[in-house]
């Protein structure tokens, strides 16, 4: 089947809807989903073309940089209590091929790829490397088409925030950091009381319970609760970690007050 530019513009409308961005320059999106195998086949058929047929390799290079910047900035803002090592470990996971392939599959990116015949026959639409490269190329295309803010929205919505939520809810975050210990150290430095962790609900069958924990923060000696972090988890420990994370985020939003008390 021969695909014209018009055909691909129509086909890619589904991808635009999925990522939530309609391209002002649709040729950028077409290039982002064009694998080098397709581009080289076009050149072979029409060798008289003066210019190299565009593939997604340069856009992939750009998108990789955008992904790294946006991810690092989000982690820096969201986890001010993390050490550089903790931030680096989490960033490495979020930009890893193992994570990005899951995102590409959720976006159904494979169905939109422009592949050469050989790559098509060898199952290129399902190859992890090709899908991840195309995802990064799409990020680069969005950046060129609409700027950093739109690219940031795409990265955060589809790549970073869902995985961070999954990390917290499943307890994977404890492999990166110990929120309860970080909270304890933060409060000690500020001279404030430690939070009270309260089990407020326990639901589900014995083999699959869900625990709801509140981390109640009091910043004065009169025990009045200033902020409550509330979280659910498959274990009390996981729920406590998530609740502690919420308290840390609250404290980060009032950093000047924390710093003033700790002086």
């Amino acid at each position: 089947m021969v695909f014209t530019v018009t055909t691909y513009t129509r086909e890619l409308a589904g991808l635009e809807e999925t990522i939530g961005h309609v391209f002002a320059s649709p040729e950028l999106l077409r290039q982002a989903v064009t694998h080098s195998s397709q581009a080289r086949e076009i050149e072979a058929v029409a060798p008289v073309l003066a210019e190299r047929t565009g593939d997604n390799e340069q856009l992939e290079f750009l998108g990789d940089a955008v992904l790294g910047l946006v991810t690092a900035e989000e982690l820096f803002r969201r986890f001010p209590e993390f050490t550089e090592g903790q931030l680096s470990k989490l960033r490495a996971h979020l930009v890893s091929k193992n994570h990005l392939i899951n995102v590409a599959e959720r976006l159904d990116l494979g169905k939109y790829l422009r592949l050469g015949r050989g790559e098509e026959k060898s199952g290129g639409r399902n190859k992890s490397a090709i899908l991840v490269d195309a995802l990064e190329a799409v990020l680069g295309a969005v950046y060129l088409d609409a700027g950093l803010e739109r690219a940031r929205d795409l990265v955060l919505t589809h790549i970073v925030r869902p995985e961070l939520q999954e990390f917290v809810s499943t307890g994977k975050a404890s492999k990166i950091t110990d929120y309860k210990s970080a909270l304890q150290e933060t409060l000690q430095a500020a001279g404030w009381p430690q939070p009270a962790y309260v089990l407020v609900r326990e639901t589900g069958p014995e083999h699959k319970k869900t625990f709801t924990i509140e981390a109640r923060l009091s910043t004065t000696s009169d025990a009045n609760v200033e902020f409550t972090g509330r979280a659910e988890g498959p274990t009390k420990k996981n729920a406590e970690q998530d609740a502690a994370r919420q308290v840390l985020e609250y404290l980060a939003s009032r950093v000047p007050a924390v710093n003033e008390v700790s002086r």
Side-chain angles (χ1 to χ4, degrees), residues 19-236:
I19 66 176
H21 176 67
V22 177
F23 278 75
S25 301
E27 65 274 9
L28 285 170
L29 184 56
R30 286 196 299 272
Q31 183 178 346
V33 298
T34 301
H35 187 252
S36 59
S37 61
Q38 166 80 348
R40 302 297 80 79
E41 279 191 7
I42 294 174
E43 290 174 350
V45 172
V48 296
L49 291 177
E51 295 185 1
R52 177 182 172 90
T53 301
D55 58 40
N56 63 8
E57 291 181 354
Q58 288 188 321
L59 285 174
E60 172 207 340
F61 169 78
L62 179 60
D64 178 70
V66 172
L67 173 62
L69 171 62
V70 173
T71 301
E73 181 184 41
E74 177 70 5
L75 295 178
F76 177 82
R77 293 179 183 277
R78 185 164 179 172
F79 303 109
E81 75 282 1
F82 278 23
T83 65
E84 188 222 352
Q86 291 168 330
L87 290 171
S88 295
K89 287 180 182 179
L90 191 48
R91 180 185 60 186
H93 169 74
L94 291 170
V95 303
S96 70
K97 304 302 182 185
N98 287 339
H99 173 50
L100 295 181
I101 183 58
N102 293 326
V103 178
E105 290 174 347
R106 284 200 303 270
L107 296 176
D108 205 9
L109 198 53
K111 69 183 281 189
Y112 301 104
L113 295 177
R114 301 176 68 187
L115 303 174
R117 285 171 292 182
E119 197 62 66
E120 185 77 69
K121 290 179 180 178
S122 66
R125 292 188 187 278
N126 297 313
K127 290 183 179 179
S128 296
I130 292 178
L131 287 168
V132 170
D133 289 349
L135 175 61
E136 292 178 337
V138 169
L139 296 179
V142 171
Y143 170 77
L144 291 178
D145 190 66
L148 182 58
E149 288 306 312
R150 189 66 198 90
R152 178 184 285 112
D153 288 342
L154 180 58
V155 170
L156 296 181
T157 299
H158 294 285
I159 298 176
V160 173
R161 287 174 179 163
E163 185 68 1
L164 288 181
Q165 182 58 41
E166 176 74 8
F167 253 52
V168 170
S169 63
T170 62
K172 293 179 183 177
S174 61
K175 297 179 182 179
I176 303 296
T177 191
D178 182 347
Y179 293 106
K180 289 183 66 177
S181 295
L183 177 58
Q184 179 180 352
E185 294 172 2
T186 299
L187 294 176
Q188 285 177 342
W192 291 344
Q194 292 300 312
Y197 293 95
V198 181
L199 175 64
V200 296
R201 188 168 59 188
E202 183 177 327
T203 59
E206 194 64 34
H207 67 283
K208 196 176 181 181
K209 286 187 175 295
T210 298
F211 300 91
T212 302
I213 298 286
E214 288 185 351
R216 299 171 181 173
L217 172 68
S218 300
T219 56
T220 59
S221 58
D222 57 14
N224 288 331
V225 176
E226 176 178 330
F227 178 81
T228 299
R230 184 184 178 98
E232 294 182 351
T235 67
K236 294 178 183 178

